[in-house]
């Protein structure tokens, strides 16, 4: 079994950690760094609950090995905003019915973050496409789409 | 997932050397989106993983009018979708890449990884074959170039040698005035893998088709060139009926696969329809008005 | 009552922790010394277990326990039918049945150990087709018992006379398939036995008390020796009530190793050990007069329970009779049979059997309306039951919003104008469809009781704690309770904390099922809050020297209505109460048991304190060459009595609409030789954001007299009309009637082919 020391920045904090080669990034975040906001919902890379940002782009952390994150910067939901310093997406998800059970929420927030970073005022269709790599079983997506739209408006200062 | 050794070569030469010495025990790992799924389900159990992520040279996308497009094997689908070179010179490819799978996979999966994995239910091989793409394989004894139809052998099988690495994908410059159309057919809107797809490159003089290359994928084990449909179209003044006949001929000349996502008869019917529509669209005909 | 909080679209009380990624679900919990569990499942639909050898697995370093059926308590567990042990013994009855389990120091080692367990099976003939279950030579799923789980026969009025009086009689057979609940959090359990031998179980459940009762039965130990705590639950949809099996395995392992054991299903395991809706074949015959009055309804059902009974008998009863109550019917007859097969157990799922009959009934109504030249909205309106009436099965309606639901969606979709437009003739053709349905809010079944108890404490800072055993599985029950409480006490929502359900400290409750929590739990909260308010005002009366009936609470301050300077902040009043009552704080308990009846032996009786209604209209576009169906528009109205939280109601409505779209168009469990062939999210395709349209949800407030502030359930009814509305719209679009779900492209194309060939004949 090979082990590797990786240098990875997670939510702005630098870590030099030894991990086995087979450690998934999702497990590294959850089990080694105790950042359990990133969820696991499937084995097929389908549900998107484990979505995180690597160097600002959204990926599924269950489809990444921790060693692949060596030298890179990872942002999880915990790094999006905490306490009184919440990201507009987070407040919009609360206010617009963007969540129910909450299990898919971290993944949706990260996917939405990626979307808005590329496309600051997406149409409803673009939002739906941008979130097509994430599953939600509670909301029927309408509240989530509304939340992203709302956040985009807030971020434009409207 | 079982334990494995993880190697991260810094150069292509180093990667080839590792692969040569480790042989079958080692697995190449590009973006990892597909391979990790197999490894996690213990369907693929490599002793060693050779991760190519460090080979920055293999990410470049370039175009020149003489050689056409060169895409490094590690270019991600996102890179393809956003590439000004692709959007200008092979918009069909950029468009294909922009909607394949889902955003997360596009941000991670690579074109080379996609081709080497050779999953039939995917988009790039079909589009590339229609564009007469070739692949450059680098091995200990140098490089060789294969047409993509010679590279893709069967379900999950390619002509990649045991000590080779896919380095680059080349697409010749498009013929002047040619137009490409790529159709990804999803069985339902909730499925994100194509049950059938079709790529078409046509050259035309007015309403007359002077050259047509149609490639069907996802409905077949590997993408296949529908030569008869292409021949049929060549020299024809394309009408809706001609487009429909091309679709019918194309549907008859392929050998469709059957699986849980659709039997052969269904896939055959679908490729006929999407071929008709692609041909019609290429010639500015409205297929929506009349039923087949 | 001035309601600053009830009726407002406030964020869920769990929203803040969820959007920060700080909500703790069971799979996030860790304990010192915790072991990880993995489960080995039988590969055959029906096989005798000849021999099990676990010695190699036991010897693997890091493995702490390997258990098989022989190790498990011999007491059988089950809902009404006690028939399962924690792990299979003797034989396996469906592919995927649990035969052994491992606890190890890591999940990987536990997984490795599974490969080292040797099991020899002798395959037995498997019964896979429910239609064969009652044949004499069919394999017996349970040795010594025939394959019939339950038969239901209901007859009221004179069905034959009803048909004789009809101008149109229509009959058809429908095939309704099974749906995976698809909650995003796979089942997870952490179990631990303490030094005194007490077992504590954190689990993802819709009901901590039903979970405790089932653990006590399966583990054969006293209820009081078990504590069940609900962690945050990532969705349930019926699948986390009493039928999943992984929590029992985790708890059993914990009793064997005396270390905490966590068992977290991966998705494939969740597909294999989860709970699916009950599939059935349903034959329906209805009679109607020219004006659309339904004169008789006759139904025959063959439903598939899978290998065990679970809640499936209750589900089938709902299919057999619930929808009868939404209309003024007199002549109805149902003959329903539930059978065992060697397939995975089926049972509770959102709608609880209602979706199956709603599909048949609404398909039927649409066909019959067309034949009679009537609008299906008018047919529903003509037959709709009204408030104050009693239905054919004895259900009493204090509120009915069916007609208002119909009005809203008919207008919302633009029904009249779109119905008048010329039919599309091109490749893609649009169509409109509608459906309507009803559901219970509460259901008096278990132990002739459907009540709810709330313990409410107002602390010395004037803030409230609600202890209830009812459960929030994501739907917003805690928010509903907090809103009612905050409004009644005149305090901000943030001053109410709903404690997590914990069997050691929460009052007994049935939990989140049968859409009962708002109407019963909400009512208990309201009553508790009223009592607490009385105590607060009594204390304030002493403090301020004003009569209690002169006082009110507003924004956390008690004030006199008549004396402007007589005010006291709530903390002051609450502290005063503690001092004046020997240290006793404000602590009240309220129980609400609704004025309902158990069904009698003939399935007659008013089982629920309220009944919810919903109607939906959809517009589809069908691609006549590819068979693809695109949903263009959906309008769904839900009669929830009173929307305590409109945002939560909309969330339920939209979520249900999409789950119904999935059932109708996208989701399809596929089997090969009895084995589930697509137990993963790549191949079992649930709707994604880009596969559904912008959804319109609207609310009807019919003001239920039994409900808290007029509210009744708003979670299940909305899933009922979606599938038939889509099927009806497809027929409107292309003239093809689909009677078998799911509606696949192949079926659309086959239907069009048959229509063309029929047309040429």
């Amino acid at each position: 079994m090979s082990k590797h020391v990786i240098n990875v920045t997670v939510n702005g904090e630098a870590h030099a950690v030894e991990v086995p080669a087979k450690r998934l990034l999702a497990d590294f975040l959850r089990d080694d760094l105790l950042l359990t906001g990133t969820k696991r919902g499937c084995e097929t890379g389908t549900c998107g609950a484990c979505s995180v940002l690597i160097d600002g782009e959204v990926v599924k952390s269950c489809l990444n090995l921790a060693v692949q994150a060596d030298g890179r910067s990872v942002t999880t939901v915990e790094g999006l905003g905490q306490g009184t310093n919440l990201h507009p997406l987070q407040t919009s998800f609360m206010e617009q019915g963007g969540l129910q059970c909450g299990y898919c929420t971290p993944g949706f927030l990260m996917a939405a973050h990626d979307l808005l970073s590329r496309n600051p005022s997406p149409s409803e269709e673009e939002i739906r496409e941008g979130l097509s790599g994430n599953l939600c079983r509670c909301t029927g997506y309408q509240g989530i789409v509304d939340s992203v739209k709302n956040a985009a408006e807030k971020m434009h200062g409207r | 997932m079982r334990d494995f050794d993880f190697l991260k070569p810094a150069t292509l030469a180093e990667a080839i050397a590792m692969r040569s010495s480790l042989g079958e025990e080692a697995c190449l790992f590009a973006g990892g989106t597909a391979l990790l799924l197999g490894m996690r389900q213990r369907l693929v159990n490599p002793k060693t993983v050779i991760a190519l992520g460090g080979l920055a040279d293999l990410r470049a996308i370039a175009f020149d009018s003489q050689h056409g497009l060169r895409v490094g094997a590690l270019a991600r689908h996102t890179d393809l979708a956003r590439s000004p070179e692709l959007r200008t010179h092979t918009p069909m490819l950029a468009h294909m890449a922009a909607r394949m799978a889902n955003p997360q996979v596009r941000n991670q999966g690579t074109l080379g990884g996609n081709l080497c994995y050779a999953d039939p239910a995917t988009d790039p091989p079909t589009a590339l074959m229609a564009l007469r793409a070739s692949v450059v394989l680098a091995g200990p004894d140098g490089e060789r170039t294969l047409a993509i139809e010679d590279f893709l052998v069967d379900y999950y099988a390619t002509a990649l040698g045991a000590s080779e690495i896919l380095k680059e994908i080349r697409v010749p410059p498009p013929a002047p005035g040619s137009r490409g159309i790529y159709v990804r057919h999803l069985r339902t809107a909730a499925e994100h893998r194509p049950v059938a797809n079709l790529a078409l490159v046509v050259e035309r003089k007015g309403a007359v088709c002077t050259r047509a290359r149609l490639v069907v994928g996802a409905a077949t084990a590997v993408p296949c060139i529908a030569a008869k449909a292409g021949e049929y179209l060549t020299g024809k003044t394309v009408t809706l009926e001609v487009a429909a006949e091309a679709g019918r001929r194309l549907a008859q000349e392929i050998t469709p696969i059957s699986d849980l996502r659709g039997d052969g008869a269904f896939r055959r019917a679908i490729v006929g329809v999407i071929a008709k529509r692609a041909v019609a669209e290429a010639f500015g005909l409205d297929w929506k008005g009349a039923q087949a | 009552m001035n309601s600053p909080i009830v009726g407002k679209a406030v964020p869920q009380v769990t929203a803040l922790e969820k959007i920060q990624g700080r909500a703790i679900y069971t799979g996030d919990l860790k304990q010192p010394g915790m072991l990880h569990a993995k489960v080995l499942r039988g590969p055959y639909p029906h096989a005798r277990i000849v021999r099990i050898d676990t010695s190699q697995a036991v010897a693997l370093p890091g493995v702490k326990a390997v258990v098989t059926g022989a190790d498990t308590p011999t007491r059988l567990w089950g809902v009404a039918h006690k028939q399962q042990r924690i792990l299979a013994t003797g034989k396996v009855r469906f592919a995927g049945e649990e035969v052994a389990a491992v606890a190890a120091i890591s999940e990987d080692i536990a997984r490795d150990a599974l490969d080292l367990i040797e099991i020899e099976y002798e395959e037995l003939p498997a019964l896979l087709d429910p239609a064969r279950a009652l044949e004499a030579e069919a394999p017996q799923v349970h040795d010594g018992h025939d394959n019939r789980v339950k038969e239901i026969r209901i007859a009221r009025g004179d069905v034959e006379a009803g048909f004789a009086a009809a101008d149109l009689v229509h009959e058809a057979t429908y095939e309704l398939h099974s749906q995976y609940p698809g909650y995003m959090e796979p089942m997870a359990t952490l179990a631990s036995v303490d030094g005194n031998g007490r077992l504590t179980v954190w689990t993802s459940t819709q009901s901590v008390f039903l979970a405790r009762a089932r653990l006590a039965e399966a583990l054969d130990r006293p209820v009081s020796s078990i504590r069940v705590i609900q962690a945050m639950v990532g969705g349930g949809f019926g699948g986390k009530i009493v039928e999943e099996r992984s929590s029992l395995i985790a708890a059993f392992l914990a009793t064997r190793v005396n270390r905490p054991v966590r068992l977290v299903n991966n998705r494939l395991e969740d597909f294999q050990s989860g709970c699916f809706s009950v599939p059935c074949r349903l034959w329906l015959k209805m009679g109607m007069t020219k004006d659309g009055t339904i004169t008789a309804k006759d139904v025959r059902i063959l439903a598939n329970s899978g290998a065990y009974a679970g809640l499936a008998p209750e589900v089938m009863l709902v299919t057999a009779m619930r929808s009868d109550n939404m209309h003024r019917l007199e002549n109805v007859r149902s003959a329903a049979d539930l059978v065992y097969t060697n397939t995975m157990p089926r049972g509770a799922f959102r709608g609880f059997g209602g979706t199956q009959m709603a599909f048949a009934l609404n398909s039927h109504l649409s066909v019959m309306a067309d034949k009679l030249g009537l609008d299906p909205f008018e047919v529903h309106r003509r037959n709709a039951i009204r408030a104050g009436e009693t239905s054919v099965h004895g259900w009493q309606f204090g509120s009915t919003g069916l007609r208002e639901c119909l009005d809203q969606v008919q207008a919302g979709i633009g029904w009249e104008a779109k119905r008048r437009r010329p039919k599309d003739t091109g490749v893609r053709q649009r169509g409109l469809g509608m459906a309507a349905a009803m559901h219970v809010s509460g259901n008096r079944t278990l132990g002739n009781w459907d009540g709810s108890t709330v313990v409410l404490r107002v602390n010395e800072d004037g803030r409230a704690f609600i202890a209830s055993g009812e459960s929030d599985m994501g739907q917003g029950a805690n928010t509903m309770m907090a809103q009612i409480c905050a409004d009644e006490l005149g305090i901000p929502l943030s001053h109410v904390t709903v404690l997590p359900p914990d069997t050691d400290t929460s009052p007994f409750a049935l939990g989140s099922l049968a859409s009962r929590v708002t109407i019963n739990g909400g009512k208990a909260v309201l009553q508790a809050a009223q009592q607490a308010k009385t105590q607060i005002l009594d204390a304030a009366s002493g403090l301020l020297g004003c009569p209690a009936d002169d006082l009110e609470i507003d924004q956390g301050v008690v004030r006199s209505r008549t004396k402007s300077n007589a005010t006291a902040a709530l903390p002051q009043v609450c502290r005063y109460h503690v001092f004046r009552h020997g240290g006793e704080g404000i602590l009240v308990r309220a129980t609400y048991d609704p004025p309902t009846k158990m069904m009698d032996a003939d399935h007659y009786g008013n089982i629920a304190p309220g009944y919810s209604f919903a109607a939906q209209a959809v517009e589809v576009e069908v691609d006549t060459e590819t068979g693809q169906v695109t949903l263009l528009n959906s309008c769904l109205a839900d009669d929830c009595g009173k929307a305590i939280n409109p945002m939560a109601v909309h969330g339920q409505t939209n979520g249900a609409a999409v789950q119904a779209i999935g059932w109708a168009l996208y989701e399809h469990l596929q089997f090969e030789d009895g084995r589930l062939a697509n137990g993963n999210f790549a191949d079992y395709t649930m709707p994604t954001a880009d596969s559904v349209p912008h959804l319109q949800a609207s609310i009807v407030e019919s003001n239920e007299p039994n409900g808290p502030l007029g509210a009744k359930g708003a979670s299940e009814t909305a899933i009922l009309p979606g599938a038939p509305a889509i099927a009806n719209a497809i027929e409107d679009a292309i003239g093809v009637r689909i009677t078998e779900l799911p509606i696949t492209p192949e079926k659309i194309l086959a239907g069009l082919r048959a229509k063309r060939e029929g047309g040429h004949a």
Side-chain angles (χ1 to χ4, degrees):
Chain A
M1 171 169 67
S2 71
K3 288 196 170 187
H4 301 264
V5 174
I6 57 170
N7 291 286
V8 56
T9 301
V10 178
N11 300 334
E13 188 179 340
H15 297 267
V17 194
E18 188 180 58
V19 294
K22 69 173 181 176
R23 173 85 80 229
L24 292 176
L25 178 59
D27 295 339
F28 169 71
L29 294 169
R30 288 176 52 80
D31 296 334
D32 295 349
L33 301 189
L34 304 178
L35 295 168
T36 55
T38 299
K39 297 300 181 204
R40 299 288 303 278
C42 74
E43 298 76 62
T44 45
T46 322
C47 81
C50 66
S51 297
V52 300
L53 306 180
I54 296 186
D55 294 337
E57 292 181 314
V58 69
V59 297
K60 295 183 179 179
S61 63
C62 80
L63 292 181
N64 274 268
L65 296 169
V67 287
Q68 286 175 276
D70 186 21
R72 308 180 72 180
S73 172
V74 176
T75 308
T76 70
V77 66
E78 290 92 344
L80 199 57
Q82 289 288 322
T84 54
N85 185 28
L86 295 173
H87 190 278
L89 275 165
Q90 291 173 304
T91 52
S92 291
F93 269 63
M94 287 205 297
E95 292 157 3
Q96 304 289 322
L99 62 90
Q100 286 178 33
C101 86
Y103 200 80
C104 72
T105 309
F108 270 97
L109 286 167
M110 304 323 280
H113 189 279
D114 178 275
L115 170 68
L116 294 185
S117 70
R118 287 180 285 109
N119 182 355
S121 23
S123 66
E124 174 153 349
E125 192 186 342
E126 287 168 335
I127 294 172
R128 289 179 181 276
E129 201 285 324
L131 302 178
S132 64
N134 296 68
L135 290 173
C136 167
R137 194 60 152 174
C138 294
T139 63
Y141 301 104
Q142 194 57 51
I144 294 174
V145 170
D146 294 345
S147 299
V148 176
K149 228 183 270 178
N150 179 261
E153 285 165 13
K154 273 192 218 164
M155 290 162 75
H156 274 67
R158 261 179 277 160
Chain B
M1 199 159 19
R2 298 195 191 279
D3 287 325
F4 55 85
D5 288 326
F6 184 82
L7 304 178
K8 202 172 173 189
T11 65
L12 182 61
E14 200 185 327
I16 292 167
M18 286 173 180
R19 188 153 156 80
S20 302
S21 67
L22 293 166
E24 298 283 307
E25 289 182 358
C27 230
L28 291 174
F29 187 102
T33 52
L35 190 59
L36 265 180
L37 295 182
M39 289 168 64
R40 285 170 58 189
Q41 289 167 57
R42 300 189 173 193
L43 301 171
V44 188
N45 298 297
K47 286 218 167 75
T48 305
V49 161
I50 303 171
L52 304 177
L55 311 182
D57 302 354
L58 267 58
R59 280 195 142 189
I61 300 176
F63 180 87
D64 71 72
S65 54
Q66 196 185 347
H67 300 101
L69 187 69
R70 291 160 168 242
V71 181
L74 295 180
R76 300 168 309 157
H77 306 301
T78 296
D79 301 328
L80 267 68
R82 295 177 194 161
S83 155
E85 286 82 7
L86 256 70
R87 291 160 76 116
T88 310
H89 301 292
T90 50
M92 170 171 101
L93 211 51
H95 177 251
M96 177 280 295
R99 288 303 294 267
M100 72 172 287
N102 57 63
Q104 289 92 329
V105 165
R106 294 197 290 270
N107 279 341
Q108 189 183 346
T110 66
L111 182 59
N114 177 282
L115 293 177
C116 291
Y117 200 67
D119 179 348
T122 189
D123 302 297
T126 308
L128 288 170
M129 199 179 285
L131 294 167
R132 299 171 193 272
S134 55
V135 292
V136 178
L137 309 179
D141 305 321
E143 294 181 357
R144 61 179 179 135
T145 303
L146 278 185
I148 191 135
E149 46 267 46
D150 297 325
F151 178 71
L152 297 169
V153 175
D154 205 342
Y155 280 113
Y156 302 100
T158 69
L160 188 72
S163 51
E164 287 181 316
I165 289 175
L166 170 57
K167 181 185 164 190
E168 188 173 276
I169 296 91
R170 293 183 179 168
V171 179
S178 73
R179 181 170 176 204
I181 289 181
Y182 177 74
V183 183
R184 166 193 296 109
H185 187 82
L186 305 175
R187 180 190 160 78
T188 71
E191 291 199 12
H192 290 163
R193 289 177 301 166
V195 70
N197 58 34
L198 180 124
L200 164 70
V201 177
V202 290
E203 294 164 38
R204 58 187 283 192
K205 270 195 184 129
V208 178
C209 173
T210 55
R211 202 169 180 218
R213 184 173 167 96
L214 295 97
V215 176
V216 174
T220 48
V222 287
C224 66
I225 301 162
K228 289 177 186 166
E231 279 162 30
Y232 167 77
L233 281 172
T234 305
K236 290 265 182 335
T237 299
V238 177
T239 61
L240 218 45
E241 182 39 48
V242 167
E245 179 60 22
R248 280 192 284 273
R249 289 183 184 220
L250 173 139
Q252 286 315 309
E253 70 176 295
I254 65 155
T255 307
I257 56 173
S258 285
D259 60 21
L260 287 177
R261 300 170 58 236
D263 67 13
F266 176 71
R267 284 185 152 103
R268 200 187 287 284
I270 293 299
V271 296
V273 171
I274 61 178
K276 177 194 80 169
R277 293 179 180 183
V279 171
E281 257 174 55
F283 286 84
L285 302 169
D286 173 23
W287 52 264
K288 289 180 184 151
Q291 286 188 70
Chain C
M1 171 180 154
N2 175 28
S3 295
I5 300 164
V6 164
K8 298 292 184 298
V10 298
Q12 278 204 24
V13 293
T14 55
L16 185 60
E17 53 185 323
K18 286 172 176 171
I19 52 96
Q20 296 176 97
R22 292 173 67 181
I24 302 299
Y25 301 79
T26 306
D28 301 331
L29 294 169
K30 271 188 184 174
Q31 285 202 341
M34 184 179 86
L35 301 176
H36 300 263
K38 279 282 168 196
V39 175
L40 185 66
R41 295 160 206 285
Y44 303 109
H46 199 191
R48 200 165 65 79
I49 301 170
V50 178
R51 187 182 63 86
I52 304 185
D53 181 351
T54 61
S55 56
Q56 285 187 70
V58 170
L60 185 71
V63 169
K64 299 299 177 187
V66 181
V67 294
T68 70
D71 301 313
T72 60
T74 54
R75 185 170 165 189
L76 300 174
W77 68 271
V79 180
H81 297 69
K82 310 296 179 189
Q83 54 191 179
Q84 295 184 74
R85 281 169 71 172
I86 293 170
L87 295 166
T89 50
K91 65 178 190 174
V92 288
R93 296 183 176 85
F94 66 96
E97 181 159 14
E98 298 82 354
V99 290
V102 174
I105 57 170
S106 79
E107 220 172 305
D108 269 347
I109 292 173
R111 169 70 186 78
D112 287 340
L114 296 185
D115 290 344
L116 300 175
I117 298 173
E118 281 179 30
I119 305 187
E120 187 186 322
Y121 293 97
E122 177 195 341
E123 267 197 84
L124 300 169
L127 172 63
L128 302 178
D129 179 4
R132 284 194 49 221
L134 299 178
E135 292 173 3
E137 62 277 17
Q140 279 187 341
V141 177
H142 294 273
D143 298 339
H145 298 276
D146 76 14
N147 291 321
R148 191 192 308 270
V149 186
K150 186 180 177 80
E151 65 177 10
I152 294 169
R153 301 288 183 268
I154 301 171
R156 310 215 198 280
D158 185 338
V159 170
E160 299 311 330
F163 286 129
D167 296 309
L168 173 67
V169 174
H170 176 61
E171 59 178 273
T173 301
Y174 301 89
E175 289 280 352
L176 296 322
H177 70 139
S178 195
Q179 188 170 19
Y180 172 61
Y183 38 73
M184 291 314 300
E185 179 210 15
M187 257 317 289
T189 302
L190 169 60
S192 174
V193 176
D194 70 16
N196 297 317
R198 281 196 93 218
L199 171 68
T200 301
V201 179
W202 291 261
T203 189
S204 185
T205 182
Q206 296 177 223
S207 172
V208 286
F209 285 95
L210 295 185
R212 185 178 70 168
R214 193 161 59 107
L215 284 162
E217 184 170 77
L219 296 170
D220 199 15
R221 58 191 286 160
V223 157
S224 295
S225 72
I226 303 168
R227 176 183 188 185
V228 178
I229 301 171
Q230 189 202 40
M232 193 69 79
V233 175
F237 309 110
K240 296 177 180 175
I241 305 176
V242 288
E243 293 168 288
E244 62 76 36
R245 299 176 297 281
S246 64
S247 63
L248 303 179
I249 296 171
F252 174 63
L253 278 168
T255 65
R256 299 281 292 198
V257 293
N258 287 325
R259 281 172 72 168
V261 175
R262 193 177 78 185
L263 174 54
V264 180
N265 278 350
N266 66 30
R267 188 56 65 177
L268 172 62
E269 291 163 340
D270 205 81
F271 266 97
Q272 289 175 319
S273 72
C275 176
F276 298 76
S277 69
V278 177
C280 68
R281 172 176 297 165
L282 197 160
W283 172 88
L284 177 62
K285 180 179 177 185
M286 277 176 50
M288 200 178 271
T289 57
K290 279 184 294 206
D291 65 1
T293 304
I294 300 167
T295 58
K297 176 175 176 246
D298 195 9
V299 59
R300 291 202 287 269
I301 297 165
L302 179 68
N304 180 2
S305 187
Y308 297 100
L311 285 166
E314 304 300 318
V315 170
M316 186 179 69
L317 174 62
V318 169
T319 309
M321 54 89 77
R322 183 166 293 172
S323 75
D324 296 347
N325 300 285
M326 71 188 282
H327 292 141
R328 293 164 157 170
L329 303 186
E330 291 171 5
N331 308 307
V332 296
R333 184 163 63 197
S334 287
D337 293 286
L338 180 69
V339 297
Y340 292 116
T341 58
N342 291 117
T343 64
M344 57 218 207
R346 320 301 170 93
F349 173 74
R350 190 183 212 165
F352 207 80
T355 47
Q356 291 87 326
M357 179 51 93
F359 185 81
L361 175 70
N362 281 285
S363 296
H364 239 68
L365 277 189
S366 178
V367 169
M368 296 178 81
D370 274 358
K371 287 187 176 176
L372 292 171
L374 301 171
D375 188 307
F377 276 102
E378 286 314 313
V379 174
H380 271 292
R381 281 194 192 95
R382 171 163 293 279
N383 293 284
I385 201 143
R386 311 288 176 88
E389 295 180 349
T390 299
S391 73
V392 65
H393 299 301
W395 295 12
Q396 293 161 16
F397 291 83
S399 64
T400 57
L402 176 56
R403 293 159 61 88
E404 293 78 4
C405 287
L406 293 166
D407 293 347
Q408 285 190 1
V409 303
Q410 190 174 18
I413 201 91
W415 182 265
E416 297 294 339
K418 285 179 178 166
R419 291 273 277 194
R420 278 198 301 272
R421 73 188 171 199
K423 287 279 172 201
D424 294 332
T425 55
V427 169
R428 290 177 175 160
Q429 302 180 359
R430 291 166 299 170
L432 288 178
M434 63 79 61
M438 69 164 293
H439 195 74
V440 293
S441 300
N443 189 350
R444 196 175 197 88
T445 52
L446 280 168
N448 193 3
W449 177 76
D450 190 25
S452 189
T453 299
V454 160
V455 175
L456 177 64
R457 206 157 88 212
V458 184
N459 297 319
E460 58 271 32
D461 61 357
R463 301 184 182 210
F465 284 177
I466 295 173
S468 160
E470 312 295 3
S471 111
D472 197 324
M473 52 183 166
Q475 84 280 34
N478 286 1
T479 311
M480 173 275 297
M481 291 194 278
Q483 284 180 271
I484 291 175
C485 175
D487 244 13
E488 187 59 30
L489 290 182
I491 59 178
L493 187 62
S494 60
H495 287 191
V496 181
T497 301
V498 182
L499 304 173
D502 175 340
T503 55
D504 273 11
T505 57
S506 306
F508 189 89
L510 289 176
S512 284
L513 46 105
S515 296
R516 56 179 297 285
V517 173
T518 296
I519 198 162
N520 292 333
K523 189 78 168 249
V525 170
L526 182 64
Q527 293 180 352
Q530 286 165 346
Q531 289 179 39
K533 186 176 177 179
T534 300
Q535 291 193 9
I536 291 167
L537 295 184
D538 282 349
S541 166
L543 185 68
L544 296 171
C546 303
D549 60 10
D550 180 43
L551 298 172
E552 61 182 3
I553 314 174
D554 181 32
Q555 312 272 358
V557 176
V558 180
R559 63 178 87 247
S560 161
R561 291 177 223 266
T562 53
K563 286 197 274 180
S564 60
N565 61 342
T567 64
L570 216 41
Q572 188 190 355
V573 179
C574 293
R575 277 196 302 274
Y576 178 82
H577 185 281
V578 172
F579 300 151
R580 293 285 79 79
H581 291 80
E584 186 191 309
I586 294 170
L587 176 67
V588 299
R589 188 194 69 222
T591 296
Y592 174 69
D593 195 12
T596 51
K597 291 192 176 73
M598 292 275 281
M599 280 183 185
D600 65 16
D602 192 28
H603 309 287
Y604 189 90
N606 186 38
I607 57 169
Y611 301 93
S612 297
F613 296 83
Q616 188 172 5
V618 302
E619 182 176 18
V620 303
E621 182 177 79
V622 183
D623 188 318
T624 57
E625 293 179 340
T626 66
Q628 287 166 311
V629 176
T630 305
L631 197 59
L632 301 176
N633 287 297
S634 165
C635 289
L636 213 178
D638 194 318
D639 164 27
C640 59
K642 157 82 184 171
I644 303 290
N645 185 340
M647 188 163 79
V649 175
H650 286 318
Q652 288 297 311
T653 305
N654 289 331
V658 167
Q659 227 163 12
I661 294 167
W663 189 52
L665 296 175
Y666 302 148
E667 298 171 34
H668 186 194
L669 291 166
Q670 291 179 290
F671 297 88
E672 281 176 340
D673 302 324
R675 294 185 187 93
L676 181 61
N678 63 336
N680 65 73
F681 280 160
D683 296 308
Y684 181 84
T685 50
M686 305 202 309
T688 49
D690 60 341
S691 69
V692 295
H694 182 91
L695 302 170
Q696 294 178 61
S698 66
I699 292 170
V700 169
E701 296 193 322
S702 60
N703 195 19
E704 169 55 44
N706 283 330
L709 312 169
K712 49 191 177 184
S715 50
E716 296 189 76
T717 326
I719 200 175
L720 305 176
I726 290 169
N728 290 341
I730 288 169
E731 184 174 43
D732 184 49
I734 59 169
V736 171
R737 170 57 56 181
I738 304 286
T739 54
E740 187 181 322
L741 292 177
I743 303 170
T744 61
E746 286 92 336
K747 288 176 194 167
I748 296 280
L749 293 177
L752 285 164
R753 219 160 28 238
K755 188 180 136 195
R756 273 197 301 272
E757 284 158 11
H760 289 292

